[in-house]
Structure formats: C-alpha cells, structure tokens
Amino acid sequence: MIKLVGIRKSFGEKEVLKGIDLTIKAGETLVIIGGSGSGKSTLLRLMIGLIKPTGGKILIDGADTVPMTEEELDRVRLRMGMVFQYSALFDSMTVGDNVAFGLREHTKKSELEIAAIVREKLHLVGLGGVEDMMPSELSGGMKKRVSLARAIAFEPSIIFYDEPSSGLDPLMTEKIDELIVNTQKALGVTSVVVTHDMASACRIADRIAMLCDGYMIAVDTVGRFKESKDARVQAFFHALRTAKEAKP
Ligand SMILES: Nc1ncnc2c1ncn2[C@@H]1O[C@H](COP(=O)(O)OP(=O)(O)OP(=O)(O)O)[C@@H](O)[C@H]1O
Ligand SMILES: [Mg+2]
C-alpha cells in the first residue's frame, strides 16, 4: 500500500533521513517510534506529500507521489486522513463545521447527507450532540476525537496519526488507542501512528518501526521487537521504563 524506497531528507546542511526503506501493508497498524528530533513527523509529512524528499520514491498503491503536482497530490490525499499532533481544529468554526469541512470542500454531497455523515463519525468516536459546540468548549481529549472524526469523514483508506495521545492522561490515552484500533477494524484502514508511548505502541501496533540516526534500524512485530538484541532498541525500552519509575 505504501512503499518508501531510499528516502532521504535534508534541511539545509542537516540530513535528517539518510535512506529509509519501508513497506506498510494494507490494513495494518504500523507504529513509528524514535527519539525526539529523529524525523518521525518529517516522515509522516513526506508520506502525505506536504514536503518533498531530497531523494527516493514514495509509492502509494504503486504510484510514485514524489514527482506529482499539487493537483495530483490532492487526488491522492483524498484517500488519506491525518490526525495532527495538536488537533488543529478551526477555532472559529463549530465542531460540526470542522468535521464537515473537507466534505464541503471536496465533494458534491448535499447538506443533508453531510449532516448525517458528521453525526455518524462523531458517534463513532464516542461523541454525541456536540455538533454545535465550539472547539474552545472541549477538553483536549475531546478535541483529539473531533479531529479523528474529521479525518475519517472521507472514509480514507490510510490514516496518519502524529502523537495522537501526547499530553493526555493515561485513561484518555487508552481511549484514543481503543479508538484507533476500532477505527481500523470498522473501516479496515491502514494506520500509521507516531508515538512516544511504548505501552500504547504495544497495545495498537501490528508492527513497530524504529527510527535512529536517520535510519530505520528495526521493523518488526511487537513480540519480536521486545526481544530485540539491538542495544539501541533495548536502550529505548529501558529509558522509557526508567522515566516512568522516576515519576512520583
Ligand atoms: N521545516 C523544517 N526546517 C528545518 N528543520 C526541520 C524542519 N522540520 C524538521 N526539521 C528538523 O528535522 C529534525 C527532525 O524533526 P521532526 O519534527 O521530524 O522530529 P520528530 O522525530 O517528529 O521529533 P519529536 O518527537 O520531538 O516530535 C529536527 O532536527 C528538526 O529540527
Ligand atoms: Mg514529531
């Protein structure tokens, strides 16, 4: 479904990605982990076509998106949903208008049809009767769920999540995880999730991919990942455990 071949990305003098090869299978949930600044968000932005790589190919269903024009990319992006790190809702619009935004922009659906879709998607993320509220009236977790509803309104075949539960409490994190898994099951989508949270990664991932020093150093199932002998993988697990133990 998504295939990265030799992806490189530099910002000025600095090469952040030094040749990434990665295949993401249709219907799987792939979790990308790695230290802060390792290039996880950059990798997502490349896959969505928001930025161009310095080298390499990005195949979406066999078609290389790297040489595509904005117009061609827009067509590919209609099949993608994106949940940004900071929910990125339009503050001046109601929740309902936020979820309806893309449908109004890119489809010829009637207002009646759109209202039904908005209700259905909000229901799917566990929010009912919030259409007329403003984003400022919602909690952080609710905003995340609204942005998830907006991402799935199109019924995309691929959803990208950038740190969907950062800044949320453990209970809300579990709810968001459930939502990711349920959305995957209900819509059969391919999910690519960036997270710092190893517990969360282990709950939702079919496979985990780890970025380190510009390379994808490990891509494996959760079980095999945990047993990896790679010192950098172990260090990542260990650092997170220690950080947790250090908390009061
Ligand atoms: N538009 C940009 N211009 C210049 N440098 C950039 C740009 N975007 C990212 N970078 C640099 O690329 C590197 C990777 O950034 P990126 O945001 O992808 O990291 P990340 O793995 O998502 O980190 P975090 O876990 O903190 O979100 C960083 O060193 C960052 O400074
Ligand atoms: Mg990031």
Side-chain angles (χ1 to χ4, degrees):
M1 164 137 273
I2 306 176
K3 194 169 178 176
L4 306 182
V5 187
I7 285 297
R8 294 174 164 269
K9 180 66 187 175
S10 300
F11 293 106
E13 295 280 278
K14 192 174 174 198
E15 188 165 47
V16 177
L17 302 174
K18 301 175 181 167
I20 303 288
D21 296 309
L22 178 67
T23 301
I24 302 169
K25 302 173 203 164
E28 83 169 323
T29 299
L30 181 96
V31 173
I32 299 172
I33 61 169
S36 189
S38 60
K40 304 179 298 296
S41 297
T42 300
L43 203 56
L44 279 196
R45 292 160 63 79
L46 284 164
M47 286 192 253
I48 303 159
L50 295 177
I51 51 174
K52 296 278 188 197
T54 318
K57 289 181 184 172
I58 301 171
L59 305 171
I60 310 278
D61 279 339
D64 187 2
T65 63
V66 175
M68 285 187 185
T69 62
E70 267 307 300
E71 262 187 348
E72 291 170 314
L73 275 172
D74 270 344
R75 231 168 299 138
V76 177
R77 284 199 205 105
L78 285 179
R79 306 186 31 238
M80 299 175 170
M82 171 78 192
V83 180
F84 290 93
Q85 192 160 353
Y86 307 100
S87 60
L89 298 175
F90 303 111
D91 288 330
S92 58
M93 284 183 197
T94 64
V95 166
D97 287 340
N98 261 285
V99 178
F101 187 78
L103 292 167
R104 288 195 183 122
E105 287 282 296
H106 299 293
T107 70
K108 295 203 159 55
K109 291 188 192 301
S110 71
E111 279 303 309
L112 214 63
E113 286 173 295
I114 290 176
I117 294 172
V118 168
R119 206 167 32 245
E120 180 207 331
K121 300 308 176 195
L122 282 170
H123 176 76
L124 203 60
V125 300
L127 294 173
V130 298
E131 282 95 326
D132 296 329
M133 291 174 82
M134 300 304 285
S136 60
E137 297 174 89
L138 305 178
S139 73
M142 288 167 90
K143 281 187 205 167
K144 288 263 166 158
R145 286 189 278 166
V146 172
S147 78
L148 179 56
R150 184 173 65 179
I152 62 179
F154 269 112
E155 311 221 323
S157 44
I158 310 167
I159 306 186
F160 298 95
Y161 302 86
D162 197 354
E163 313 252 2
S165 51
S166 67
L168 301 180
D169 68 48
L171 266 183
M172 190 50 73
T173 299
E174 275 187 40
K175 272 196 191 150
I176 297 277
D177 287 347
E178 255 174 53
L179 216 62
I180 292 172
V181 172
N182 290 345
T183 306
Q184 194 274 333
K185 281 192 189 137
L187 304 175
V189 296
T190 305
S191 313
V192 184
V193 188
V194 165
T195 184
H196 268 120
D197 186 332
M198 268 327 280
S200 174
C202 294
R203 274 198 297 268
I204 63 178
D206 291 312
R207 292 190 303 154
I208 299 179
M210 181 166 175
L211 259 183
C212 187
D213 297 328
Y215 298 99
M216 206 54 106
I217 59 161
V219 185
D220 220 329
T221 57
V222 178
R224 281 211 291 262
F225 209 92
K226 280 181 180 165
E227 284 156 19
S228 167
K229 296 274 184 291
D230 190 305
R232 295 163 298 182
V233 174
Q234 284 301 324
F236 204 76
F237 269 106
H238 185 70
L240 286 162
R241 249 199 326 271
T242 319
K244 266 195 183 147
E245 281 160 11
K247 276 184 194 159

